[in-house]
Amino acid sequence: MINSAPRQSNKYKQGLYTPNNKDKVVKLNSQGGLYYRSGLEQKMMIYLDMNENIINWGAEHLRVPYSKTEWVSEKQEFKTSEHNYYPDFYYELRRSDGSISRVVAEVKPHSETIQPKLQDKPTSKQLKNFEYALKMYNKNLSKWKAMIEYCERKGFEFIIITEQHLKT
């Protein structure tokens, strides 16, 4: 993905963020900024740009391979496929003791970080929504497992940031 332009969506706030402190950004796109795919990502970009303890940062510029296993109903079997994960952010943070933390951050709504629950006596629409939410949750778990292993090898931290962290 490497911070490509977002697909049009009515669901999420999307756009181009032009940083004030461009010298802190690992790689700007051809428009001189970085694309955000949600209001939460935009808030995170503003935080990273304006925080004086952030030494440098980038969006969607790391690539981490991962495997995803899912059930294929039509074939009545599990299928494993290979994919690439581009986490939302990487940044370097100067701590109060002078040490530097290297952090990979994924920004998600809290609802996408917890296992979905099926309501009692669901309608067909609720069942379809649950199936989609479960599929996305399992995809995220596969990506995050690979990212945790990647970060452990590199000496990075991996965090998931939700709207609860980005309240203003």
Side-chain angles (χ1 to χ4, degrees):
M1 186 167 333
I2 314 295
N3 200 247
S4 58
R7 290 177 234 159
Q8 293 303 313
S9 167
N10 294 332
K11 187 175 179 182
Y12 298 107
K13 180 179 181 181
Q14 300 179 342
L16 177 69
Y17 178 73
T18 304
N20 293 317
N21 300 295
K22 291 183 179 187
D23 57 313
K24 290 175 35 172
V25 179
V26 174
K27 183 173 177 160
L28 297 168
N29 62 28
S30 60
Q31 282 72 43
L34 299 140
Y35 290 111
Y36 57 89
R37 299 174 202 297
S38 70
L40 293 176
E41 285 187 12
Q42 181 188 31
K43 284 183 181 183
M44 184 68 178
M45 287 180 178
I46 293 167
Y47 168 80
L48 294 169
D49 186 22
M50 304 310 288
N51 186 322
E52 62 187 34
N53 292 314
I54 300 298
I55 299 166
N56 66 44
W57 64 281
E60 297 176 344
H61 74 280
L62 294 177
R63 182 181 66 85
V64 177
Y66 74 99
S67 299
K68 179 178 74 168
T69 301
E70 59 188 343
W71 179 252
V72 181
S73 300
E74 302 81 41
K75 295 185 177 184
Q76 293 291 299
E77 65 185 23
F78 286 99
K79 176 185 166 197
T80 300
S81 53
E82 301 301 314
H83 302 273
N84 289 310
Y85 172 33
Y86 298 90
D88 293 330
F89 298 100
Y90 166 83
Y91 61 92
E92 294 178 2
L93 171 69
R94 184 181 309 106
R95 301 270 182 195
S96 58
D97 66 0
S99 65
I100 307 294
S101 292
R102 289 167 177 76
V103 182
V104 176
E106 182 68 19
V107 177
K108 287 276 184 229
H110 177 72
S111 63
E112 293 181 22
T113 67
I114 56 175
Q115 186 171 352
K117 296 194 182 347
L118 184 60
Q119 297 180 3
D120 292 335
K121 299 180 183 176
T123 64
S124 61
K125 182 174 174 73
Q126 288 170 329
L127 193 56
K128 188 173 184 169
N129 288 343
F130 171 76
E131 183 179 14
Y132 177 78
L134 190 59
K135 184 177 180 178
M136 291 298 101
Y137 177 73
N138 285 328
K139 178 181 178 180
N140 285 335
L141 289 180
S142 296
K143 292 191 303 187
W144 297 340
K145 178 182 182 289
M147 184 51 63
I148 290 166
E149 292 168 0
Y150 174 87
C151 287
E152 285 175 353
R153 286 192 311 272
K154 296 281 192 178
F156 297 170
E157 296 175 41
F158 175 60
I159 60 173
I160 299 168
I161 297 173
T162 69
E163 66 276 9
Q164 297 167 347
H165 302 104
L166 293 173
K167 289 182 181 175
T168 55

